[in-house]
Structure formats: C-alpha cells, structure tokens
Amino acid sequence: KTDEIILFEREMKEFWTKLKSIYGTEQINQTLALRDSCKESIKALSEKWSKKLKEGDLMMDKIQEYSDEILQQTQRISENQEHLTEIKSNLNQEEEQKKDLTDSIQELKEELMKKKEILSSKNKATKERMERLCKSKVLFEERLGLEIRRIHNEQLQFIFRHIDHKDPDKPYVFTLSINEQGDYEVTSCTPPLDCVAELQLKVRETNNFSAFVANIRKAFTALSYK
C-alpha cells in the first residue's frame, strides 16, 4: 500500500506539472480562486435560503396561528349571532305579550266603562223612581195615613199609622229598595206579613205601585184584627 501511495503522489505531481505547463500557474490560481469564490457564494446562498426557509416556517406558523384565531373568532361570531337571534326572538315574544296585555287592558277598560255606564244608568233610573215615589208622599200621607222616609242605601221606609183602632199611633213599617235588576224589593217588614212575596211579585209584573202600597196597608189592617 505504501508503494501505491508513493505511486499516487508521483502521478499527482506529474498531473500538476503537466497542468501547470499547459495552463500556467496564474490560470490555476484563478481557477482555484474562482472555485473558492463559488464555494463562498454557494455557502452564502445556502445560508440565505436556509434563513429564508426558517423565516418561511415561522411565517407558516404565524399564518396557522392567525388561521386558528380567525376560526375561533368566526365561531364566537356565530355563537353571538345565535345568541342575538335568540334575544331578538325573546324580544319579539315579549312585544307580542305586551301587545296582548295592552289589548286585554283596553278591553277591560272598555268593559269597565260599559259597566259604569250601565250602573250610572241604573242609578239614574233608581233615583228617578225614588223621586217619583217621594213625590207621591203627600198623596199617600193624606189618603192612607202614611209617612215615607228616605234612609241609607237609597231605601224608602213606609210607616203606616191609624191602623190599630186600639192604638192609632202604633207604627206598621216596611222598607223598600230597588235591586240591581231594577225591580222593587221589600227588605224588611214589621210586623211580618205572609203575603209580602206575593205582593212584591205582583207589583213587579204590573208596576202599579199605588195598588201595592194600598194592598200592604190592607194586609196590616187585616193583621191588626187577628
């Protein structure tokens, strides 16, 4: 192997001797310098592209991070849109409920106004009838020995005297009102009469109040003789 090495070195010397004789030392040096320059350029270029590749990897990582962040933002936006849609739906339901409630309140107001009008009309009719009864007071007192008093709750109290010949001042009393239906109603009777319900029904049918009072007096008179 030593001989082979010696032989290889000899051949290399001969090769460089021939190369120098052909190209010259200066050209060889230029070639070597060009080779070294190429090596440096290739090295610099390799380092540059290696750096570019690393920057590219970083850029790809950043892009991936941005993509992930955009995806998260998109999901959050979608969730917020769903939440807003739900809120809007709830608001619409509340508006409908509010409208229904407003309509119900308006209906109640209208119904209350109608009831007030009806009640006012009934009260007016009741007062008018009571006034007519009071106007008949003088007639009843003169002909039937009757005293009429207006008492609480728009009621009239009828007091008969001169019925009991043994005790002319003894009072026979019944109290009359007009109920919600606008009908005459005897609320009390002293002394009590069994025929009150019958006479009350009759006056509701005939609306003949004078006959009703006269019949009450007859019943009291008949009772005084028992």
Side-chain angles (χ1 to χ4, degrees):
K1 290 185 178 178
T2 305
D3 294 337
E4 291 178 358
I5 293 172
I6 294 172
L7 181 61
F8 177 74
E9 289 177 352
R10 187 183 301 166
E11 289 177 353
M12 286 297 294
K13 287 180 180 180
E14 291 177 357
F15 171 77
W16 281 110
T17 300
K18 290 179 181 181
L19 186 63
K20 287 178 181 179
S21 63
I22 296 173
Y23 292 101
T25 303
E26 186 177 353
Q27 289 181 344
I28 291 172
N29 291 335
Q30 289 179 355
T31 301
L32 293 175
L34 181 60
R35 183 196 65 184
D36 294 339
S37 176
C38 287
K39 285 182 178 180
E40 291 295 328
S41 297
I42 291 170
K43 182 179 179 182
L45 189 60
S46 297
E47 291 177 353
K48 180 179 179 181
W49 279 106
S50 177
K51 184 178 180 182
K52 289 287 186 183
L53 288 173
K54 289 180 180 179
E55 291 176 353
D57 290 340
L58 292 174
M59 184 67 70
M60 290 300 295
D61 292 340
K62 287 291 184 184
I63 291 173
Q64 186 61 43
E65 289 179 5
Y66 292 150
S67 297
D68 294 340
E69 185 175 351
I70 290 171
L71 180 60
Q72 292 176 359
Q73 291 287 351
T74 303
Q75 290 176 348
R76 283 196 289 270
I77 290 171
S78 177
E79 291 173 357
N80 289 335
Q81 286 178 341
E82 292 177 358
H83 186 56
L84 287 174
T85 301
E86 183 179 355
I87 292 174
K88 187 176 180 180
S89 176
N90 292 335
L91 287 174
N92 290 334
Q93 291 179 359
E94 289 179 358
E95 285 295 328
E96 291 177 359
Q97 292 175 355
K98 181 179 178 181
K99 185 178 181 301
D100 292 340
L101 182 59
T102 302
D103 293 342
S104 297
I105 291 173
Q106 184 61 32
E107 290 177 2
L108 289 173
K109 284 183 178 179
E110 292 175 358
E111 185 178 353
L112 182 61
M113 288 299 295
K114 289 179 181 178
K115 287 183 177 179
K116 284 184 177 180
E117 290 175 0
I118 293 172
L119 183 61
S120 176
S121 177
K122 286 184 176 180
N123 288 339
K124 183 178 179 182
T126 299
K127 288 181 179 179
E128 288 176 353
R129 294 180 75 174
M130 286 296 181
E131 289 297 331
R132 288 197 298 269
L133 292 176
C134 288
K135 287 178 182 179
S136 304
K137 178 179 179 181
V138 175
L139 175 64
F140 288 139
E141 287 180 347
E142 290 178 352
R143 294 187 181 181
L144 303 175
L146 173 65
E147 179 185 356
I148 301 174
R149 297 176 182 174
R150 177 176 286 182
I151 60 175
H152 62 309
N153 296 330
E154 293 296 331
Q155 296 185 99
L156 291 179
Q157 189 178 65
F158 295 77
I159 305 170
F160 294 98
R161 302 184 191 277
H162 307 295
I163 289 179
D164 190 346
H165 62 281
K166 296 177 183 178
D167 186 4
D169 291 330
K170 179 180 178 180
Y172 290 75
V173 183
F174 78 92
T175 304
L176 187 72
S177 69
I178 297 175
N179 61 24
E180 292 182 357
Q181 288 72 36
D183 296 326
Y184 293 113
E185 183 174 351
V186 177
T187 57
S188 66
C189 184
T190 306
L193 295 173
D194 295 335
C195 60
V196 167
E198 181 182 351
L199 295 176
Q200 178 177 271
L201 181 60
K202 189 172 182 180
V203 73
R204 290 179 181 178
E205 292 173 351
T206 63
N207 204 31
N208 189 339
F209 187 74
S210 296
F212 169 72
V213 175
N215 288 330
I216 290 286
R217 190 177 191 282
K218 286 179 183 179
F220 279 143
T221 301
L223 186 65
S224 70
Y225 284 103
K226 289 183 178 181

